[in-house]
Amino acid sequence: MTTATRQDDPTASVSPPLHGLRVLDLATLFAGPLAATMLGDFGAEVVKVEHPTRPDPSRGHGPAKDGVGLWWKILGRNKRTITLDLGAPAGRDVLLRLAADADVIVENFRPGTLERWGLGWAELSAVNPRLVLARVTGFGQFGPYSHRPGFGTLAEAMSGFAAMTGEPDGPPTLPPFGLADSIAALATAYAVMTALSGRTATGRGQVVDLAIIEPILTVLGPQPLWYDQLGYVQPRTGNRSRNNAPRNTYRTADGCWLAVSTSAQSVAERVMRLVGREELIDEPWFGTGSGRAEHADVLDEAVGGWIALRSRDDAIAAFEKAEAAIAPVHDIRDVMSDPQYRALGTVTEVPDPELGPIRMQNVLFRLSETPGSIRWAGRPHGADTEAVLTELGLSAPEIAVLREEGVL
């Protein structure tokens, strides 16, 4: 079993690369909080700020064990948790004190909400000119949709992702997980680090305006350029690609599914030789990915027929010997036992005082000198309120008054 450190390395005693970076996570649900998690995984000190009676809804998303939400254990890892009513004047004052000593704030309220509370950029930058404020919303801080409620599902629809996902004769298809939010989280973490690098040069912080509808459009590739120059709109093609073939999932003799990709011409040729259809390589259309895609029926029949006569393990072994690209279609049970994931330590075990040892995805990547780590899983609502506010300089009587007033 792997440990919670990304890799076993003598440098594990070295301070992680974001050690000393202070982050306030004011966001809820997925994109903003996940970006803060990614910063925390590499050493940032992240304080999760939640409403006293309305915690981050991710605590209640998906399955729970013994009343403990499991999704939160991942999303809340490496974060200290406090409660604070930002809409109350006393809560505003505490947040400004926290902001004065922070490097980054991540928030995802609708545009204008922080300003209504007296916590807009003017107030925050006044107490801390070096602060980076990451504003993660569905549609951005301006424009005709900016005040609409926005979620990743809407981004998956508006970006064109759903329109070109699914079978040709089927409806547009949405992913069964937070795809747009996760892509936006990666983009937000990148944007924050870019802004912090800019601060090194200017000495000043700045605002990051990230709309969840934008990063997913970037990862969809050259769709805007194709339409601009050719008027081309990519249709739904199921598992097939309009850019190369064979590219599909194929069922084996023992009832498993395998995915084959031939993005490179040399790989496509190897696959045809492997399945005994070398004559197809000499066809004039075989020399380009788009040409092969136009003849996907022929290629799918060749590859699918060959795989259908073999077991999963035999087909994979033959493809590997031929240096052709193939992979099993895993569900999560397969992921947890896959030897490559095990070798990489992709899923790691984390001790948790509420649930005992739990397994979750490890940090995103390996650094040879300053690795990231999971120091703890998501903590209970408000677990660190007293400790954080005491460190901020509030006395026990002051904290008690704030509790009595419902601010904490």
Side-chain angles (χ1 to χ4, degrees):
M1 184 67 65
T2 58
T3 66
T5 301
R6 191 60 173 116
Q7 69 262 18
D8 294 325
D9 191 284
T11 61
S13 61
V14 176
S15 294
L18 300 186
H19 177 74
L21 188 73
R22 296 188 173 185
V23 179
L24 299 178
D25 175 8
L26 312 186
T28 57
L29 292 174
F30 306 110
L34 182 56
T37 301
M38 293 172 182
L39 300 175
D41 283 350
F42 285 90
E45 178 190 329
V46 182
V47 174
K48 174 73 174 181
V49 181
E50 299 175 86
H51 190 276
T53 59
R54 298 189 300 275
D56 189 326
S58 66
R59 289 182 179 272
H61 265 57
K65 180 180 179 182
D66 300 331
V68 178
L70 299 179
W71 203 330
W72 169 252
K73 287 297 177 183
I74 300 173
L75 197 61
R77 72 189 191 191
N78 293 335
K79 299 179 183 180
R80 303 171 82 191
T81 63
I82 72 170
T83 56
L84 190 62
D85 183 354
L86 302 180
R92 169 192 180 272
D93 293 343
V94 172
L95 194 281
L96 287 175
R97 290 179 64 173
L98 287 167
D101 199 34
D103 296 287
V104 179
I105 290 179
V106 181
E107 65 98 2
N108 71 336
F109 299 104
R110 289 196 210 180
T113 301
L114 285 186
E115 286 75 8
R116 189 172 70 249
W117 292 337
L119 290 170
W121 178 240
E123 292 85 0
L124 292 170
S125 61
V127 299
N128 184 354
R130 292 175 55 81
L131 183 70
V132 170
L133 174 62
R135 314 195 77 166
V136 186
T137 57
F139 304 105
Q141 295 296 309
F142 57 91
Y145 302 165
S146 61
H147 285 81
R148 292 182 182 179
F151 298 99
T153 297
L154 307 188
E156 289 146 11
M158 284 184 60
S159 64
F161 173 86
M164 63 185 195
T165 303
E167 294 300 324
D169 57 349
T173 302
L174 296 167
F177 61 96
L179 177 64
D181 277 306
S182 299
I183 296 170
L186 287 162
T188 301
Y190 167 49
V192 165
M193 298 309 299
T194 302
L196 290 171
S197 180
R199 186 180 73 175
T200 301
T202 67
R204 299 187 306 276
Q206 59 185 300
V207 177
V208 171
D209 176 9
L210 190 135
I212 296 173
I213 60 172
E214 292 185 298
I216 188 171
L217 182 59
T218 296
V219 304
L220 290 181
Q223 306 297 325
L225 180 59
W226 285 345
Y227 180 74
D228 176 62
Q229 295 297 301
L230 302 172
Y232 176 76
V233 179
Q234 182 164 322
R236 290 190 287 282
T237 58
N239 289 329
R240 288 180 173 177
S241 169
R242 296 300 289 262
N243 306 312
N244 66 81
R247 190 262 198 186
N248 213 326
T249 56
Y250 307 95
R251 191 160 191 162
T252 65
D254 52 354
C256 300
W257 289 92
L258 299 174
V260 172
S261 176
T262 56
S263 296
Q265 180 69 23
S266 59
V267 174
E269 293 175 6
R270 290 174 200 154
V271 171
M272 289 303 105
R273 293 190 184 98
L274 173 64
V275 302
R277 297 296 301 275
E278 298 95 327
E279 77 279 3
L280 294 176
I281 299 173
D282 297 326
E283 293 288 345
W285 48 262
F286 196 88
T288 66
S290 58
R292 296 197 308 276
E294 292 174 0
H295 295 79
D297 286 342
V298 173
L299 297 173
D300 276 346
E301 182 181 1
V303 176
W306 186 90
I307 288 178
L309 299 175
R310 290 160 176 82
S311 69
R312 187 193 80 156
D313 291 347
D314 287 347
I316 290 175
F319 265 71
E320 287 185 349
K321 184 176 180 180
E323 297 185 353
I326 194 169
V329 177
H330 281 346
D331 64 19
I332 192 58
R333 293 168 294 186
D334 303 309
V335 170
M336 299 292 270
S337 61
D338 186 279
Q340 183 61 32
Y341 281 129
R342 283 184 176 272
L344 294 173
T346 306
V347 177
T348 190
E349 186 174 281
V350 180
D352 182 71
E354 291 183 286
L355 298 176
I358 58 178
R359 289 188 289 172
M360 63 177 67
Q361 299 96 321
N362 214 326
V363 303
L364 276 175
F365 46 83
R366 289 160 291 282
L367 295 179
S368 62
E369 296 296 325
T370 53
S373 65
I374 302 171
R375 300 181 297 283
W376 60 83
R379 290 167 59 72
H381 184 225
D384 303 289
T385 302
E386 276 79 8
V388 171
L389 297 188
T390 298
E391 293 165 9
L392 190 63
L394 274 70
S395 66
E398 288 175 310
I399 294 173
V401 170
L402 291 173
R403 282 208 178 279
E404 290 172 6
E405 294 176 347
V407 176
L408 304 180

